Amino acid sequence: MRPAVLAVYVTAMCMNGLDATIVNPALFRIAADLGVAPAAANPVEWAFLASVAAVMPVAGWLCDRYGAARVFLVSLAVFTAGSGLCALAWDLGSLVGFRVVQGAGGGVLTPAGLAMLFAAVPPEERMRLSKYVVVPTALAPALGPVLGGWLADAFSWRWAFLVNLPLGAAAVVAGLVVLPLSGGTTVRLVLRELLPVRQLAADQAFLRGTAAAALAAAGLMGMLFVFPLMYQDLLGASATEAGLVLFPEALGLLAAGFLVERSCARWGERRVIAVGLAGGAVLFALPALADLGPWPLRLLMFAVGLVLGQAVTAVQVTSFAGVGPELMGRAMTLFQSVRMLGGGLGVGLCALAIGLGYRAALLVSAALVAAALTARAGAHAVSETRHP
């Protein structure tokens, strides 16, 4: 595969990954600038996540109809244009609406990009692509809180969106030159790749695992929404300081990616999931129950990423254990879509709880992670009933 094709893909995925976290530390500034209460800014985050989840299921049909490379470039252009519109927003309603546009581009961008890459290389070489996929999906979200906080403090929250414009424009122009835009994909994504709800509904372990992943995402995104607001509002910290406190959580996620295989081999997936989700719930509740300084909070955030990252990875692996190859692509689409919807739901629930105080909202995020543990325990019970 040509390096230029890979460069276009990585650039686009880095932009998409950044936008999952770059706005959180800037929400306090956004609320103040647009004249709303901090909690009222929550649609800025959940509108993006819900839009991503809503359009993701149609990506397969679009790639089949118009070609993965062409759909990838159009979605990248929509995402970039949505970023520019967000930077020009004049009130909360316009910003939320433009975030929906941005999310619509981002929701198609990831599956279309993967289809484009898979079409560009033979099957025996596709495993090598994983290391390139990890870079934008893990590193970019890790940099998002720090970059977003710094941009909000040094310039304006609008730069959290403007930063996408030069990268997106360059990637679109480069893509027009290097990507094969004619015809459909040779790794064919047909209409039947849309959500096979009827077939997957029979797999209770998959459904419960998907529910657990969605609840864990709800807790995590809810916490990432609440904590920067609390840190800035109650402690008078800057957006940069809030981002730096959150940053170790992403480092913990990176470490979890390297450790999860070894942990599961040593203790088993079930124990890794139970300890990780239970530990995540406890760690989410600690800032609500005790006053912690910056460094204890950084250590706590690292621990959150470390334990929760391993648990969620193990949930995904075990949830797909009974899914056959013929359903894998469609099952993954369902899994990721529901997980993104869960993240948006968590932001909304925690925003409602802020009316009772920031600490109450953090306890809601902890309860969502605890609910994920309950859902996954039900999946194990189903599995043991079927295979005594």
Side-chain angles (χ1 to χ4, degrees), residues 33-337:
D33 191 41
L34 298 182
V36 300
N42 78 88
V44 175
E45 186 64 14
W46 66 249
F48 176 79
L49 297 172
S51 181
V52 168
V55 303
M56 193 178 290
V58 304
W61 179 83
L62 290 173
C63 290
D64 178 56
R65 180 67 177 82
Y66 300 105
R70 188 177 298 167
V71 171
F72 175 80
L73 279 184
V74 171
S75 62
L76 176 58
V78 171
F79 178 85
T80 304
S83 299
L85 290 171
C86 287
L88 298 175
W90 54 90
D91 59 17
L92 183 63
S94 62
L95 179 55
V96 171
F98 295 146
R99 282 287 272 175
V100 171
V101 174
Q102 191 187 34
V108 177
L109 195 61
T110 298
L114 286 173
M116 178 185 69
L117 286 184
F118 274 39
V121 298
E124 63 271 14
E125 295 182 15
R126 289 173 188 165
M127 187 59 67
R128 295 166 50 197
L129 292 176
S130 60
K131 60 182 178 183
Y132 301 112
V133 174
V134 166
V135 173
T137 57
L139 183 58
L143 296 176
V146 177
L147 180 60
W150 177 74
L151 288 172
D153 285 337
F155 303 101
S156 164
W157 60 265
R158 298 180 188 274
W159 279 95
F161 302 105
L162 287 172
V163 71
N164 288 329
L165 296 187
L167 292 173
V172 169
V173 172
L176 289 172
V177 175
V178 303
L179 296 180
L181 299 180
S182 60
T185 62
T186 58
V187 175
R188 190 163 177 82
L189 297 175
V190 294
L191 185 59
R192 68 174 182 272
E193 292 300 315
L194 295 178
L195 305 183
V197 176
R198 185 179 302 174
Q199 294 167 281
L200 290 171
D203 190 339
Q204 291 296 309
F206 171 78
L207 292 181
R208 289 180 178 272
T210 301
L215 288 166
L220 178 61
M221 297 306 295
M223 185 275 291
L224 291 178
F225 167 74
V226 172
F227 183 82
L229 294 178
M230 182 181 76
Y231 200 68
Q232 293 173 78
D233 195 12
L234 297 185
L235 302 180
S238 67
T240 303
E241 290 169 333
L244 288 172
V245 170
L246 284 177
F247 178 66
E249 184 270 338
L251 295 180
L253 286 175
L254 285 172
F258 290 101
L259 294 175
V260 63
E261 185 175 3
R262 185 180 304 174
S263 298
C264 290
R266 183 171 183 178
W267 293 297
E269 289 89 351
R270 183 173 182 175
R271 188 171 298 175
V272 169
I273 292 170
V275 171
L277 293 178
V282 172
L283 291 169
F284 279 21
L286 280 178
L289 302 175
D291 294 323
L292 303 175
W295 278 106
L297 283 172
R298 291 187 180 103
L299 291 173
L300 182 146
M301 291 297 170
F302 178 83
V304 165
L306 186 64
V307 300
L308 203 58
Q310 293 187 75
V312 171
T313 300
V315 165
Q316 180 167 326
V317 170
T318 56
S319 297
F320 282 79
V323 178
E326 72 283 358
L327 294 178
M328 188 60 70
R330 288 162 279 170
M332 183 60 73
T333 300
L334 176 60
F335 186 90
Q336 297 294 348
S337 297

